[in-house]
Amino acid sequence: MADIRCPMCGKPNAEEAETCLYCQARLKPVGPGAAPPGAAEPSAAGGEGVPDWLSRLRDQGSPTPSGTRELSGEREGPSDEEASDWLSRIRTRSDEESPAPSSAASPAEDMFGRGKPAEPSGPVPAFGPSAEEVPPASAATPPAEPASAEDDPEWLRRLRTRRAVEGTPGAAPAPSFPAPQTTGEGLPPDWMHAPHEDLATGPTAAPVPRPAGGEGSVPDWLRDVQPPAPAPAPIPFASEDDELRGAYAEKEIPDWLAAAREEAAAPVDVVDLASPPAAPIETPSLEELLAPGVLPEWLTAGSSPTPPPVEAPGESLEQAVLPPWLRAMRPVEGPLAPKGEAGEAEERVESAGPLAGLRGVLPPKVEAEVGRHPPVLPSLLDIQPAHAAHAELLQRIVSTPESRAVPRARRRAQARPWGGLAVSLILVAAMSVPGVTGTSVFARPSVIAVETLQTANLINSLPRDRPLLLAVDYDAAASAELEAAALAVLDHVMTVGAPIASVSTRPVGAALAERLIARTRAAHPQYQSGVNYLPLGYIPAGPIGLRAFAANPWQAVYGQSAPEGWDAAMVDALHTSSNFSAIMVVASDPAVLQAWIEQVHTAVPSVPLVAIVSAAAEPLARPYYESAFPSVQGMVVGLAGAEAYECLNAFDPASGRCGRLGVADSMWDAFGMAVLAAVLILLVGGLASVIRRGVISMRRTSHE
Amino acid sequence: MRIKASVIVAILTGAVMLLGYFLPGAFFASVRDVMLRSGMIIGTVALLLGVGNLLQVHLRKIREQRPGHLYSIFMVISLFSVFAVVVLFGPAHPYSVWVVSEIQRPLEIGLMALLAVVLLLAGVRLLFRRQALGTLVFFLTAILVLLGTAPLPFISLPFLEGLRNWIAQVPAVAGARGIILGVALGATATGLRVLLGFDRPYER
Amino acid sequence: MDALIGWVALGVAGLMAGLILAFSLTRRATWPTFRHMPPFEALAVDLGRSVEAGTRLHVALGSGSLTSNDAAASLIGLATLSQIATAGSVSDKPPLATSGDGAVALLAQDVLRVAFRQQRAEDRYDPLLGRVTGVGAQGYATGAMHTAPDEDVTATIVLGAVGPEAALIAESGARRGTVIGGTLDVQGQTALYVTADHPLIGEELFASGAYLHVNRAHAASLQAQDILRWLVIAAIVALAIVRTLGLL
């Protein structure tokens, strides 16, 4: 089922609907010439007075909740199409018979209620394409009473008579409501035209321009009818006549009009407009029409027998006074102002509906609601080539789908656990071979490093009345490497018989020191806690604590009376850091050795310092030993140094050979196997990486 | 410009400590000693704060039952157990020493062994990921040092040992000294920024 | 001799302080141009990527304390954290800072809180974004290793006092995303050179504040370091020549 578009809001409604569901506008007029109820809304919003006739027509019936209008109960008149047909037939016949009268059209009200109030007897014309202008809105006047047949003008009666004589067949049918024309044919009579207000420039009294075209067959009274302004595009108001028809209450329709409708309802043959009429139609002259009392006053107001000279629109035109609400609806000046369309809207004459003949009527459809595409505005920017290139690049970036993706972080292949597993198995297997096979194929160090010898010499010269400060400053993770060297040196110290005081700047250092002493004490049971071994515990705050320890060691670690059973002489010696016979720092972190040197040794430079460090810390510890003013008097480095020191401890002068009973010696073969396996892994793996990289590069090159 | 009290205290404290190293006099020495002992106490408290923060993290993980909260339960139980043993028996007691020797030490040594595996794998991938002259020099130097450090089976190559000693004592030491000098300059600049009030990590 | 060394050190410190003041207080409107450093550019990329993807950044501040020799590295890490937190506070998962020291963890919490407050996102601040994962170097590394998979980390930034255990943290982070690492410890630098995608060698760690535009003083101190570095080089060369010639 075809939908009907509301002339007010443009929304589709069912075909059988009487009023619009959205804006309550009348979809099907009750009678010809009635304005839709919705048309009253804009004018009502503007506050200006709506002509009584129009408001009366709009108020016909009250909108029901369902959206339909209740008619007044009177029989609904003929359809809009039928009403337009009879009028168009009249017009056509008039054009063919006599020219349009030269008199100006009577002023008529526009859809906004401007102009003279409608006469009660006069019908509200179905406005057609016209170049006339609508007079300004005037105050609303009471609607006129519908005229009776006795009040019909003479010309109308003559028209009816003629129709009755001619009969239905052969009579010139009213074609579909014509679009705005330029030739003047089919134009409404002059009396239907009234100066209307130009929406853009205001009201003007300029008459309608004389239509062009042949005047031979046009009745005199129509000859002077000014043709409508040419419109660039035909406005299909013909098809929208039904939509534009307002609701006319049956009681408001004059009898003459109703009768004419009935006559028009009869089927008629289409008449070729180009062909001359079958019989001339006698029409009254313009003077006769303009005689007082012939035509309604509202039709003759403002008209004159002779058409005023045509003036260019806009020149010497009196500026119309627009109501505020109408002024607000005017298009804004500027690029968005549809100037062309405004011009078109001004020139377009309504051809159907109650606004027929008015110029500058807004189209029923709000184009914005229909979804018109916004106009393409000319760019006023001065685009430089660089800007255009950037814009093009940006467009290219945005349009490519890859650019819209969030870049994912590069992750390494996690699915390679076999690599770590393989390396672990190789290392474990390598280290297990010497222990499993019981072989020892790795040569022991044959040369003892100088720094190791110096350490041994220093230990040999330690006094027995002053304690050796043992700083166990390594983590449990490094104990596997450092314990071997520390045990070897401690064994030498205990052999010499020097008392030992242990301290640490690590929380677990105290426990590791206890482990060292416990393992070494097994071979030297004379060492007792508090007698010749003083565990001083933990020094917090790193270098700050060492600085405080250097100032007063006892106060830094205890600050109170000594534990019960401790040797008093030994405790007294601990009140001054210069009382230490030597400082032996066991560290895997070169920064720890640096802190001991900078915070403690600088305070007591006379106390020799020996460093037992891991192989990784040697590069940073050696400068302190090889300096012109060395801060370290001896070093034992890593497992090799421990192996060498164990040799020194177990050296047999008679045979000239070293004993191999130490921890380092037990680890030596496994250490050798592990290092060789690591070298093998690095060489093979590195070579494989290089080959793989080369293959990938070759593939990439071949693809390119 | 309004200067906060914390900034003034920080600047004054740093200035006094620095001047105490260079200027003679008992006043600066005594002030410095007081500040040193205060710093030791703060360092100890910071250790306890770290333990407290650790506990807070794992308790929340347990409370919210996040993935791996079972390990957090075990961690909390271990923490309180060891804490109780050391508090009750002392850090030098055989029980405390046993915890360190038989539990903590093997765990950390295992972690270092894992580190060795990780470094080996990373070294193998290094040539693939980063092809540069420095990477090649690094790679070759690592192999030479390893060969010079470890004993060789059945044979003895003094040349490798000598090369290793030369690498460790000449270019490595030179590079390390340069890094240490740069680090010292950077550390000095960092400390001066705090002393001059440009950096205020203590300020809210 | 010790007194001479002390006065030389005081002179160097005074000269550096003067240079820092001079560079900080003059030409405040301009930022000096430094050489191209890919790690900091990668940091910016990773930060943006993590915010976009709704993942987290892990800033490992190491196990050093403020009272140790590595305090400078911890302070640099905190300064970098402030910039990272300012930019990453708008993310669904804000940056996370781990440390092995309680005081550094507290400062990290403070830095994060200030950053969130500056970004008007204080309600999204969680104190445990600055946390201790373990006490001591090994304990910290053990806990920090699991931060990347547990907290949906796609970028790991190691800036602080770490040793060779940094390789474990970096390897764990590399399985999830990129790793940027720098430390003052030589062994740590070696480990990070092998495992990190963008290692910072030597004292490049101290340049992070200048490259991340923490404040003008960081750029000034970097300029001062460059000047003093050239002075030290000149002094070493001159003393070596003098010593070689037997004049000293």
Side-chain angles (χ1 to χ4, degrees):
Chain A
M1 179 170 27
D3 292 339
I4 301 176
R5 282 204 173 271
C6 174
M8 291 298 130
C9 63
K11 294 186 179 178
N13 289 270
E15 187 177 4
E16 63 274 12
E18 297 291 337
T19 57
C20 177
L21 290 175
Y22 303 97
C23 65
Q24 311 308 319
R26 185 80 182 175
L27 296 177
K28 296 176 183 176
V30 177
E41 295 175 4
S43 57
E48 287 294 322
V50 178
D52 296 334
W53 62 269
L54 197 56
S55 58
R56 181 165 29 91
L57 293 171
R58 287 171 181 166
D59 295 338
Q60 291 297 322
S62 59
T64 60
S66 60
T68 60
R69 279 178 80 95
E70 290 180 354
L71 300 179
S72 56
E74 299 176 356
R75 183 175 64 87
E76 189 175 1
S79 62
D80 296 339
E81 187 175 355
E82 296 172 349
S84 63
D85 287 343
W86 70 267
L87 194 56
S88 59
R89 283 197 295 274
I90 294 172
R91 289 174 182 165
T92 307
R93 197 173 300 120
S94 301
D95 292 336
E96 294 169 353
E97 290 176 354
S98 60
S102 59
S103 61
S106 309
E109 292 181 355
D110 60 354
M111 64 179 294
F112 303 113
R114 293 163 298 186
K116 286 200 167 184
E119 292 290 336
S121 60
V124 178
F127 295 102
S130 169
E132 294 176 338
E133 296 170 348
V134 180
S138 58
T141 56
E145 295 288 330
S148 59
E150 292 73 17
D151 297 336
D152 290 345
E154 177 67 25
W155 65 270
L156 201 54
R157 276 189 235 111
R158 269 191 252 117
L159 285 175
R160 287 175 182 161
T161 309
R162 183 175 67 245
R163 177 164 289 204
V165 166
E166 292 174 324
T168 305
S176 59
F177 211 81
Q181 303 172 23
T182 58
T183 58
E185 295 182 354
L187 293 175
D190 193 19
W191 57 268
M192 294 177 67
H193 300 161
H196 60 276
E197 179 183 6
D198 185 351
L199 291 178
T201 61
T204 174
V208 178
R210 190 190 179 109
E215 302 179 359
S217 60
V218 179
D220 294 338
W221 65 277
L222 285 179
R223 189 169 296 134
D224 292 338
V225 173
Q226 298 178 8
I235 300 175
F237 286 110
S239 60
E240 298 170 357
D241 285 346
D242 295 340
E243 305 169 8
L244 290 177
R245 294 290 182 263
Y248 297 103
E250 202 58 28
K251 61 182 179 184
E252 298 295 333
I253 300 176
D255 297 337
W256 62 268
L257 195 58
R261 274 187 177 177
E262 293 173 0
E263 294 173 0
V268 295
D269 297 334
V270 177
V271 171
D272 185 7
L273 296 177
S275 60
I281 301 172
E282 196 178 32
T283 56
S285 64
L286 181 61
E287 290 74 15
E288 296 176 356
L289 285 174
L290 292 178
V294 175
L295 293 176
E297 186 177 339
W298 60 271
L299 284 177
T300 58
S303 61
S304 61
T306 57
V310 179
E311 297 180 5
E315 295 180 358
S316 68
L317 295 177
E318 184 180 347
Q319 185 72 23
V321 178
L322 294 177
W325 58 268
L326 182 59
R327 204 175 299 120
M329 295 172 63
R330 289 174 60 179
V332 178
E333 293 294 337
L336 290 180
K339 293 178 180 172
E341 294 176 354
E344 295 172 4
E346 295 173 4
E347 298 302 325
R348 187 185 68 244
V349 178
E350 197 70 19
S351 62
L355 306 178
L358 294 182
R359 184 187 303 166
V361 176
L362 294 179
K365 290 181 184 178
V366 179
E367 296 190 5
E369 295 179 1
V370 177
R372 183 185 65 175
H373 292 290
V376 178
L377 305 175
S379 174
L380 301 178
L381 299 176
D382 181 19
I383 299 177
Q384 302 296 329
H387 299 160
H390 291 162
E392 183 185 348
L393 176 63
L394 182 61
Q395 186 179 7
R396 204 165 344 118
I397 292 172
V398 171
S399 60
T400 54
E402 294 83 0
S403 65
R404 287 191 290 269
V406 174
R408 298 185 62 182
R410 181 176 60 84
R411 297 184 181 183
R412 293 185 191 162
Q414 196 172 356
R416 289 185 180 178
W418 58 265
L421 196 61
V423 169
S424 301
L425 288 176
I426 293 172
L427 288 176
V428 170
M431 287 187 288
S432 303
V433 167
V436 170
T437 59
T439 56
S440 176
V441 297
F442 290 91
R444 270 43 179 180
S446 58
V447 177
I448 299 176
V450 173
E451 58 268 16
T452 307
L453 284 174
Q454 287 183 341
T455 303
N457 292 336
L458 193 146
I459 299 298
N460 284 333
S461 63
L462 285 178
R464 298 186 185 183
D465 58 344
R466 291 189 296 166
L468 168 75
L469 182 63
L470 174 64
V472 182
D473 267 342
Y474 58 89
D475 291 325
S479 63
E481 181 184 11
L482 291 174
E483 259 191 17
L487 287 172
V489 175
L490 271 180
D491 183 60
H492 187 196
V493 170
M494 288 187 178
T495 302
V496 169
I500 300 171
S502 68
V503 74
S504 175
T505 59
R506 309 270 173 155
V508 296
L512 292 174
E514 281 295 321
R515 173 184 162 87
L516 285 174
I517 297 298
R519 292 185 67 175
T520 316
R521 195 188 301 171
H524 304 277
Q526 70 276 15
Y527 273 84
Q528 300 295 327
S529 177
V531 178
N532 46 11
Y533 168 61
L534 303 178
L536 299 181
Y538 167 63
I539 304 175
I544 295 179
L546 286 177
R547 190 68 184 182
F549 182 83
N552 193 327
W554 182 254
Q555 197 170 19
V557 292
Y558 270 96
Q560 55 188 5
S561 57
E564 197 173 322
W566 279 31
D567 185 79
M570 294 294 294
V571 172
D572 290 339
L574 292 177
H575 285 82
T576 308
S577 57
S578 58
N579 290 335
F580 293 116
S581 60
I583 300 174
M584 186 163 64
V585 180
V586 187
S588 61
D589 188 359
V592 174
L593 179 65
Q594 179 185 353
W596 274 98
I597 293 171
E598 293 177 352
Q599 304 301 331
V600 179
H601 191 259
T602 54
V604 285
S606 59
V607 178
L609 191 145
V610 171
I612 301 174
V613 295
S614 61
E618 182 193 357
L620 292 173
R622 184 162 291 277
Y624 292 105
Y625 171 76
E626 294 181 346
S627 170
F629 306 95
S631 301
V632 176
Q633 280 69 41
M635 285 175 57
V636 180
V637 180
L639 202 62
E643 174 74 19
Y645 211 96
E646 286 177 356
C647 177
L648 285 176
N649 284 344
F651 184 73
D652 184 8
S655 62
R657 297 171 67 85
C658 298
R660 298 286 184 257
L661 302 177
V663 174
D665 189 70
S666 64
M667 296 164 56
W668 190 249
D669 293 309
F671 171 68
M673 288 294 293
V675 172
L676 284 180
V679 171
L680 197 64
I681 290 170
L682 282 176
L683 283 174
V684 173
L687 192 62
S689 296
V690 171
I691 294 174
R692 184 176 164 221
R693 182 72 179 238
V695 167
I696 291 174
S697 298
M698 285 173 56
R699 286 180 186 172
R700 193 173 299 154
T701 308
S702 63
H703 280 304
E704 291 174 356
Chain B
M1 180 181 68
R2 191 178 67 180
I3 301 177
K4 295 185 179 179
S6 58
V7 179
I8 297 174
V9 169
I11 295 174
L12 282 178
T13 306
V16 167
M17 290 294 292
L18 194 61
L19 290 175
Y21 274 99
F22 299 100
L23 296 180
F27 171 73
F28 287 107
S30 60
V31 172
R32 191 182 67 229
D33 289 340
V34 170
M35 289 185 175
L36 285 175
R37 283 199 291 273
S38 304
M40 289 176 63
I41 297 172
I42 293 172
T44 308
V45 174
L47 181 65
L48 291 176
L49 286 175
V51 175
N53 187 294
L54 183 69
L55 204 62
Q56 193 178 3
V57 170
H58 285 276
L59 284 177
R60 186 163 93 165
K61 199 173 182 181
I62 295 169
R63 188 170 57 245
E64 297 177 0
Q65 294 196 349
R66 290 186 181 178
H69 68 278
L70 291 178
Y71 300 106
S72 298
I73 294 174
F74 188 73
M75 197 287 294
V76 171
I77 294 173
S78 304
L79 188 146
F80 283 110
S81 304
V82 173
F83 186 77
V85 167
V86 175
V87 166
L88 291 175
F89 301 102
H93 193 272
Y95 290 169
S96 305
V97 175
W98 183 88
V99 170
V100 173
S101 296
E102 308 303 328
I103 298 178
Q104 183 172 354
R105 184 171 170 269
L107 284 173
E108 293 198 13
I109 290 175
L111 207 64
M112 288 299 288
L114 179 64
L115 180 63
V117 174
V118 166
L119 286 174
L120 270 177
L121 276 177
V124 166
R125 288 197 302 258
L126 188 63
L127 286 178
F128 177 76
R129 284 171 43 220
R130 204 181 300 156
Q131 286 190 340
L133 179 63
T135 307
L136 186 62
V137 171
F138 178 89
F139 192 80
L140 292 176
T141 305
I143 291 178
L144 286 173
V145 169
L146 281 172
L147 287 174
T149 303
L152 298 176
F154 307 112
I155 56 172
S156 176
L157 292 176
F159 167 74
L160 279 179
E161 193 173 343
L163 181 63
R164 180 261 174 202
N165 290 336
W166 180 84
I167 291 174
Q169 296 171 17
V170 178
V173 171
R177 278 181 167 177
I179 288 176
I180 290 173
L181 277 170
V183 167
L185 289 174
T188 305
T190 303
L192 284 172
R193 280 201 307 268
V194 177
L195 281 178
L196 295 174
F198 289 114
D199 271 354
R200 303 171 192 178
Y202 44 82
E203 193 176 54
R204 294 188 135 204
Chain C
M1 188 62 188
D2 292 338
L4 178 63
I5 293 174
W7 285 112
V8 170
L10 190 61
V12 170
L15 177 60
M16 180 168 281
L19 287 172
I20 292 174
L21 283 171
F23 285 122
S24 298
L25 301 178
T26 58
R27 304 179 69 182
R28 295 174 66 91
T30 59
W31 199 268
T33 303
F34 299 114
R35 64 181 174 93
H36 174 66
M37 285 197 72
F40 299 117
E41 297 173 2
L43 175 59
V45 170
D46 289 335
L47 185 58
R49 183 183 292 147
S50 71
V51 172
E52 275 188 43
T55 56
R56 205 184 290 276
L57 237 69
H58 173 210
V59 180
L61 298 173
S63 57
S65 69
L66 294 178
T67 57
S68 67
N69 291 346
D70 294 335
S74 301
L75 291 175
I76 293 294
L78 289 171
T80 308
L81 175 65
S82 68
Q83 296 299 92
I84 293 174
T86 301
S89 59
V90 297
S91 172
D92 295 337
K93 296 187 178 178
L96 176 71
T98 59
S99 169
D101 181 73
V104 175
L106 282 177
L107 284 179
Q109 290 178 355
D110 213 33
V111 165
L112 290 167
R113 182 187 296 113
V114 170
F116 275 81
R117 188 170 61 205
Q118 287 175 350
Q119 300 300 316
R120 304 287 193 268
E122 206 162 3
D123 55 330
R124 303 178 60 205
Y125 167 72
D126 180 11
L128 292 183
L129 287 175
R131 62 180 67 166
V132 172
T133 57
V135 179
Q138 303 301 324
Y140 166 71
T142 306
M145 279 171 60
H146 297 284
T147 301
D150 290 349
E151 300 288 343
D152 192 19
V153 170
T154 55
T156 303
I157 296 101
V158 182
L159 282 177
V162 287
E165 68 275 4
L168 298 172
I169 304 172
E171 188 65 21
S172 173
R175 292 172 180 269
R176 306 249 337 149
T178 54
V179 178
I180 302 167
T183 181
L184 301 181
D185 185 73
V186 176
Q187 298 180 41
Q189 291 178 26
T190 306
L192 287 173
Y193 180 80
V194 177
T195 53
D197 298 306
H198 303 282
L200 292 167
I201 306 299
E203 65 269 26
E204 289 180 348
L205 175 71
F206 292 107
S208 61
Y211 277 79
L212 298 181
H213 290 231
V214 175
N215 57 35
R216 193 62 179 83
H218 280 260
S221 57
L222 190 61
Q223 291 175 295
Q225 286 179 54
D226 287 342
I227 293 174
L228 280 172
R229 202 173 292 122
W230 281 112
L231 289 177
V232 168
I233 292 171
I236 290 174
V237 172
L239 287 174
I241 293 173
V242 167
R243 187 68 181 249
T244 304
L245 294 177
L247 301 176
L248 190 62

